[in-house]
């Protein structure tokens, strides 16, 4: 019930500023991150001006990323269930994401990160598929998700390096 008492904080000013100025939220992101502006505008239509929805979205995005992380570790080390659980729990709480309470401003960041992790998972899962058709479908889905997360938050493109390292690890491990 403490979540219901949360409000808008710190960097959540864009929603209030857009409303006060009579602009669509997309206006604030039109130059540097137009896709993020579109994401926030469409999300605002669904969640409105009530903070609880934004906080629940940020929480859901954060923990979707944790689930994707668990799936990634489970593909890399399938015989280490307890270790994968412990790593995922640690991933969920550390580093303590201090902007979690700035849910309106950082929900696109958390969403993009979760999408990136799902994309990496699909790439790794594709390597384990015996069927060529399934492998290509997973790789196409992974590429589409990669384009989506990069469009939403370009500066986490460095995760593509992590994808390559993890794919190489999985390929070498299978030999």
């Amino acid at each position: 019930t403490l979540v219901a008492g949360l409000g808008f904080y710190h960097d959540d000013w864009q929603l209030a500023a857009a409303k006060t100025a009579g602009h669509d939220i997309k206006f604030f992101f039109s130059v540097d991150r137009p896709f993020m502006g579109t994401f926030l505008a469409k999300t605002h239509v669904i969640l409105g001006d009530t903070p609880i929805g934004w906080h629940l979205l940020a929480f859901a995005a954060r923990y979707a990323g944790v689930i994707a992380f668990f799936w990634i570790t489970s593909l890399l080390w399938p015989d280490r269930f307890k270790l994968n659980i412990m790593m995922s729990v640690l991933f969920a709480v550390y580093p303590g994401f201090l902007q979690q309470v700035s849910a309106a401003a950082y929900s696109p960041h958390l969403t993009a990160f979760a999408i990136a992790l799902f994309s990496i998972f699909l790439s790794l899962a594709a390597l384990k598929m015996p069927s060529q058709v399934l492998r290509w479908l997973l790789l196409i889905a992974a590429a589409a998700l990669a384009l989506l997360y990069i469009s939403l938050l370009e500066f986490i493109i460095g995760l593509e390096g992590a994808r390559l390292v993890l794919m190489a690890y999985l390929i070498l491990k299978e030999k």
Side-chain angles (χ1 to χ4, degrees):
T1 60
L2 293 176
V3 173
L6 290 173
F8 290 121
Y9 305 102
H10 312 294
D11 287 339
D12 288 339
W13 61 268
Q14 291 106 337
L15 290 176
K19 192 170 193 165
T20 303
H23 288 291
D24 189 325
I25 189 70
K26 290 191 286 189
F27 172 79
F28 289 100
F29 297 94
S30 60
V31 173
D32 58 348
R33 291 196 177 118
F35 193 72
M36 184 185 289
T38 301
F39 173 85
L40 285 169
K42 292 191 181 302
T43 306
H44 186 258
V45 168
I46 297 167
L47 300 178
D49 295 323
T50 309
I52 184 71
W54 291 94
H55 286 285
L56 292 175
L57 172 63
F59 182 82
R62 173 96 166 133
Y63 285 92
V66 171
I67 290 167
F69 181 83
F70 173 74
W71 289 351
I72 289 168
T73 61
S74 294
L75 275 176
L76 297 172
W77 303 288
D79 56 336
R80 301 282 178 100
F81 181 76
K82 285 183 183 178
L83 180 63
N84 295 334
I85 289 287
M86 287 189 295
M87 285 189 290
S88 299
V89 168
L90 187 59
F91 180 76
V93 298
Y94 183 83
F97 186 65
L98 299 177
Q99 302 304 339
Q100 183 75 40
V101 295
S102 296
Y106 289 99
S107 59
H109 298 69
L110 295 167
T111 302
F113 190 53
I115 292 169
L117 291 175
F118 278 109
S119 176
I120 291 170
F121 166 73
L122 290 176
S123 297
L124 297 175
L127 295 177
K128 293 193 155 266
M129 284 295 136
S131 162
Q132 285 283 70
V133 172
L134 262 157
R135 183 176 301 146
W136 279 106
L137 287 174
L138 289 177
L139 287 173
I140 290 167
L145 289 177
L147 288 174
L148 180 61
Y149 93 77
I150 292 168
S151 297
L152 192 54
L153 199 65
E154 80 290 339
F155 66 79
I156 61 174
I157 196 169
L159 288 172
E160 291 306 306
R163 179 194 313 268
L164 293 175
V165 168
L166 293 175
M167 289 177 80
Y169 170 81
L170 202 55
I171 290 167
L172 292 173
K173 182 181 168 197
E174 297 293 318
K175 286 187 175 182

